[in-house]
């Protein structure tokens, strides 16, 4: 094997949220494999590289995953710097372990470059700390999404046990998430936010009560969206309710 594979976090979207290390590695890539979610501006930083789009937005690619693994291994045979670019952080809900295991089994050297995960970018969009003294001492990152042959995950228990919960890949089933959580005993008036396209030009945020989450999700456009749930959003919710035309995104921005 002559090459090394870098699993690189592309961050939530904005190109300038890349780490300096990620930008350097991308610029030095000979070949770059990227997810559909990755901003084209970030991909464009790989000026020397052959660019290969892989993967689908909604993770329905269990056969393709084996193919991606194979392509990475093959690429390491003929290229010095192979970059596998994933949205956010590569180690969060990105099937990175399958790639790490396949590369390790093939004797390929791997380096992981962290990125800003969507949960943290969403916190920044909201302008709210996900932990707060006396209010939130833990944060759960969960997803209700499971792969085709995967066992059902008890994501709701993790949400119930956490002060702040961030739910990835859930915006499309917001109503059913709210129903499940309320049925499991979460207060229907718990504040919840939907953050869409955090750090990107189409960024939007919507805040309401958990029992309004389904309705709230109808305001989403087509960008990636994430759910944040917890008392840390109480002040945001109060502000949103006090404002006329509550929940239209621009009105939810903190007054300057
Ligand atoms: N590895 C990525 C997550 C991949 S799962 C990370 O660390 O962020 C894809 C999910 O991430 C989307 O369904 C959405 O819930 C969330 N997501 C990714 N980018 C986002 C963005 N810019 N704004 C809001 N949510 C985002």
């Amino acid at each position: 094997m002559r090459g090394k594979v870098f699993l690189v976090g592309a961050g939530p979207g904005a190109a300038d949220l890349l780490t300096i290390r990620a930008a350097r590695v991308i610029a030095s890539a000979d070949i770059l494999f990227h997810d559909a979610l990755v901003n084209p501006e970030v991909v464009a930083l790989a000026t020397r590289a052959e660019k290969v789009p892989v993967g689908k937005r909604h993770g329905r690619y269990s056969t393709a995953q084996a193919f991606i693994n194979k392509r990475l291994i093959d690429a390491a045979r003929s290229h010095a710097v192979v970059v596998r670019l994933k949205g956010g952080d590569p180690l969060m809900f990105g099937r990175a372990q399958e790639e790490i295991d396949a590369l390790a089994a093939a004797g390929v050297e791997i380096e992981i470059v962290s990125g800003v995960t969507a949960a943290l970018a969403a916190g920044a969009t909201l302008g709210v700390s996900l932990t707060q003294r006396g209010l939130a001492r833990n944060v759960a990152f969960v997803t209700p999404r499971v792969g085709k042959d995967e066992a059902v995950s008890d994501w709701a228990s993790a949400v119930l046990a956490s002060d702040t919960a961030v739910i990835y890949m859930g915006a499309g089933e917001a109503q059913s998430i709210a129903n499940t959580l309320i049925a499991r005993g979460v207060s229907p008036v718990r504040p919840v936010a939907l953050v869409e396209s955090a750090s990107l030009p189409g960024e939007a945020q919507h805040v309401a009560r958990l029992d309004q989450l389904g309705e709230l999700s109808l305001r989403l456009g087509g960008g990636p969206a994430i759910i944040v749930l917890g008392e840390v959003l109480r002040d945001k919710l109060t502000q949103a309710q006090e404002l006329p035309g509550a929940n239209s995104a621009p009105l939810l921005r903190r007054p300057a």
Side-chain angles (χ1 to χ4, degrees):
M1 282 298 166
R2 90 189 189 99
K4 177 169 170 181
V5 175
F6 293 81
L7 284 183
V8 178
D16 60 355
L17 278 178
L18 279 177
T19 64
I20 292 170
R21 185 179 299 180
R24 283 190 186 134
V25 169
I26 294 167
S28 72
D30 297 308
I31 184 164
L32 176 134
F33 297 87
H34 64 91
D35 285 353
L37 261 182
V38 173
N39 184 344
E41 263 183 66
V42 173
V43 174
L45 297 175
T47 45
R48 315 175 39 230
E50 178 189 338
K51 298 167 190 82
V52 188
V54 289
K56 297 209 181 97
R57 266 278 299 268
H58 291 296
R60 263 179 268 110
Y61 56 92
S62 45
T63 23
Q65 184 63 52
F67 183 64
I68 294 169
N69 299 347
K70 184 177 180 310
R71 296 225 36 196
L72 290 174
I73 294 163
D74 289 347
R77 293 208 167 93
S78 48
H79 299 77
V81 180
V82 180
V83 172
R84 171 69 173 110
L85 194 55
K86 288 173 177 286
D89 185 276
L91 306 186
M92 286 298 302
F93 303 122
R95 304 187 65 168
Q97 197 60 47
E98 292 159 64
E99 294 174 16
I100 293 167
D101 291 347
L103 291 163
V108 179
E109 199 188 341
I110 310 167
E111 183 173 326
I112 297 165
V113 181
S114 302
V116 177
T117 192
L120 306 183
T125 300
L126 292 162
V128 169
S129 179
L130 302 183
T131 62
Q132 288 178 24
R133 296 216 293 179
L135 194 60
R137 298 282 74 192
N138 56 67
V139 186
F141 291 179
V142 310
T143 186
R145 174 82 45 91
V146 287
K148 219 171 51 170
D149 307 315
E150 217 181 321
V152 184
S153 98
D154 189 9
W155 61 274
S157 287
V159 175
L160 252 74
S162 62
D163 294 332
T164 304
V166 186
I167 306 176
Y168 288 70
M169 293 180 274
E173 43 177 318
Q175 183 68 60
S176 113
I177 286 173
N179 294 346
T180 302
L181 291 175
I182 292 166
R184 293 280 301 269
V186 178
S187 165
V189 299
R190 194 162 220 220
V192 69
L194 270 171
V195 179
E196 179 174 7
S197 299
S199 86
L200 288 164
E203 177 178 277
Q205 51 174 311
H206 310 278
V207 183
R209 308 184 315 236
L210 180 58
D211 63 359
Q212 298 168 320
L213 181 62
E215 195 187 324
L216 201 64
S217 69
L218 302 177
R219 296 171 192 263
L220 292 173
I226 199 160
I227 300 167
V228 183
L229 178 71
E231 284 304 322
V232 294
L233 295 168
R234 178 61 60 192
D235 289 351
K236 285 287 277 199
L237 177 58
T238 306
Q239 285 167 21
Q241 286 167 336
E242 282 166 359
L243 289 165
N247 280 329
S248 61
L251 290 172
L252 282 181
R253 301 258 147 77
R254 248 175 222 288

